[in-house]
Amino acid sequence: MVSANAGRTLAFYREVLGVGLVKRTVNFDDPSSYHLYFGDATGAPGTILTFFEWGGLPSGFPGVGGVHHLALGVATSDAQLKWKRRLEDAGTPVSGPYNRGWFRSIYFTDPDGQILEIATRGPGYAVDEAADALGQRELPPPPDAEIVGERNEAAIERLTWPEPVPTITADMALEGIHHISAITTDLERLDEFYGAALGLRLVKKSFNQDHPDIKHWFWASYDGQAVAPHSALTFFGWPPRGRPTKPGVGQTHHIAFRARTADDQLAFRAHLLELGVPVSPVMDRTYFTSIYFRDPDGLLLEVATDGPGFAIDEPPGRLGQELRLPAWMDDQRDAIVGALTPLGA
């Protein structure tokens, strides 16, 4: 994601959302800007949110070829209501909770305007389809009571936790990325691409409850019985010639998928090339290696390895506490540090 102010981003994600900073470094392709990594205590795959600080860019907006919002997971509806109360008490407006059928959602934005969601774990994708038949048929539109214009917005707005929530309690723990939602004008083409390129399977063919004339399809790592955690990717199907996304502050720069090993990553790269998808060489990011390519709408995608991991240059208990630079930038350290605004502890 793109941030205008790394210090403000650090304060919001770490202090308000309670997401740990697991690495403070610079953009390896542009060392004049911070690259902050947030995640769980170890920086496990599926929990990582990263930000480039590019304050000179104008604000962007969602559109075709870009991400609309990112959802973080939470276990229960009560925990979600606690998040609503905590965020609103911190001055962040929240909408919802809305019943999305397979989970319940609240929405808000970070200080740069990035749209965020906190979604519950259940009732799950199999609540309205057999688990072994997810995504095989188009579902009917949701009940009127759940659709914008028909639902009771005043009653939904009043739903919150009755007491202030100054401390993030154990039951509120955010479970990493629940799903990411992006925008396309051709859902059928994306189904072919994500299935062939990454092995993602269509698990839900539905409609957007906020715009019921727009289709909303879900893909995931799915073995025919269960959807793997942190794997859901959804697209809204906008009409042809829909507005393209504008990159910039408050927008998502790219989405990263996981390769467990370097060999797995090389196999992915060879597979993409066989499909005729242009893909970058393997690039050393110190904490992992990366390859990059784009989907048919131009959305930038990455496949990153698990290792060697964020503990390669600082002990697990001290992740994110000091600025870390890759070895090839060591001789530039004074100049790089001097050009950055200190973030504090």
Side-chain angles (χ1 to χ4, degrees):
M1 290 176 274
V2 180
S3 159
N5 183 309
R8 187 176 62 181
T9 296
L10 179 60
F12 181 78
Y13 282 87
R14 189 173 62 178
E15 308 306 329
V16 178
L17 287 179
V19 184
L21 183 67
V22 297
K23 192 64 60 182
R24 66 177 72 196
T25 184
V26 295
N27 182 330
F28 291 1
D29 300 320
D30 173 18
S32 66
S33 60
Y34 279 111
H35 192 181
L36 304 182
Y37 291 75
F38 296 87
D40 71 2
T42 64
T47 72
I48 297 298
L49 311 176
T50 92
F51 292 84
F52 299 128
E53 185 197 38
W54 287 332
L57 290 183
S59 295
F61 51 71
V64 176
V67 168
H68 183 268
H69 67 268
L70 180 148
L72 300 169
V74 71
T76 67
S77 295
D78 278 354
Q80 187 183 60
L81 290 182
K82 289 183 177 180
W83 276 111
K84 181 178 180 181
R85 179 63 187 263
R86 177 176 172 80
L87 287 160
E88 291 188 328
D89 287 351
T92 300
V94 176
S95 62
Y98 298 116
N99 181 4
R100 299 314 197 187
W102 318 289
F103 43 81
R104 296 174 67 84
S105 302
I106 61 173
Y107 299 91
F108 53 100
T109 61
D110 78 1
D112 290 302
Q114 175 75 48
I115 302 172
L116 299 172
E117 172 182 349
I118 292 179
T120 58
R121 193 182 297 168
Y125 295 112
V127 70
D128 54 0
E129 295 181 282
D132 60 357
L134 295 183
Q136 295 184 18
R137 65 185 177 93
E138 183 174 275
L139 298 173
D144 287 349
E146 307 296 346
I147 292 177
V148 67
E150 301 291 339
R151 63 194 178 211
N152 188 337
E153 298 288 356
I156 292 170
E157 184 178 347
R158 288 194 298 272
L159 283 173
T160 191
W161 196 251
E163 304 294 334
V165 186
T167 302
I168 301 170
T169 52
D171 61 314
M172 297 170 65
L174 296 175
E175 300 176 330
I177 296 173
H178 184 286
H179 66 270
I180 295 172
S181 292
I183 301 169
T184 182
T185 56
D186 194 333
L187 290 164
E188 298 284 355
R189 181 177 63 173
L190 284 195
D191 187 31
E192 292 181 10
F193 175 81
Y194 281 99
L198 290 171
L200 297 181
R201 294 178 61 179
L202 196 57
V203 297
K204 197 66 65 179
K205 299 167 79 171
S206 66
F207 294 85
N208 182 340
Q209 287 110 318
D210 295 326
H211 300 281
D213 55 331
I214 291 176
K215 294 189 177 185
H216 189 190
W217 288 12
F218 292 59
W219 289 264
S221 175
Y222 166 56
D223 62 5
Q225 292 296 318
V227 173
H230 315 300
S231 72
L233 176 64
T234 93
F235 279 85
F236 299 121
W238 280 17
R241 297 183 295 281
R243 181 186 72 179
T245 189
K246 178 187 176 186
V249 169
Q251 296 302 299
T252 297
H253 184 267
H254 65 270
I255 299 172
F257 295 88
R258 173 189 188 186
R260 293 181 184 275
T261 67
D263 286 344
D264 288 347
Q265 185 184 62
L266 288 174
F268 259 123
R269 186 172 188 278
H271 175 63
L272 291 168
L273 290 172
E274 287 178 0
L275 293 174
V277 177
V279 56
S280 76
V282 175
M283 304 178 78
D284 181 3
R285 301 309 193 190
T286 297
Y287 313 108
F288 45 84
T289 60
S290 300
I291 58 174
Y292 299 91
F293 56 104
R294 293 184 184 275
D295 81 1
D297 290 306
L299 179 60
L300 183 61
L301 305 174
E302 174 183 0
V303 173
T305 56
D306 284 4
F310 293 104
I312 190 174
D313 59 358
E314 54 189 346
R318 293 184 55 80
L319 293 181
Q321 295 190 20
E322 298 178 2
L323 181 70
R324 295 290 171 174
L325 299 176
W328 64 85
M329 291 183 188
D330 275 348
D331 61 350
Q332 309 168 52
R333 186 175 186 85
D334 289 347
I336 291 172
V337 172
L340 297 170
T341 301
L343 291 178

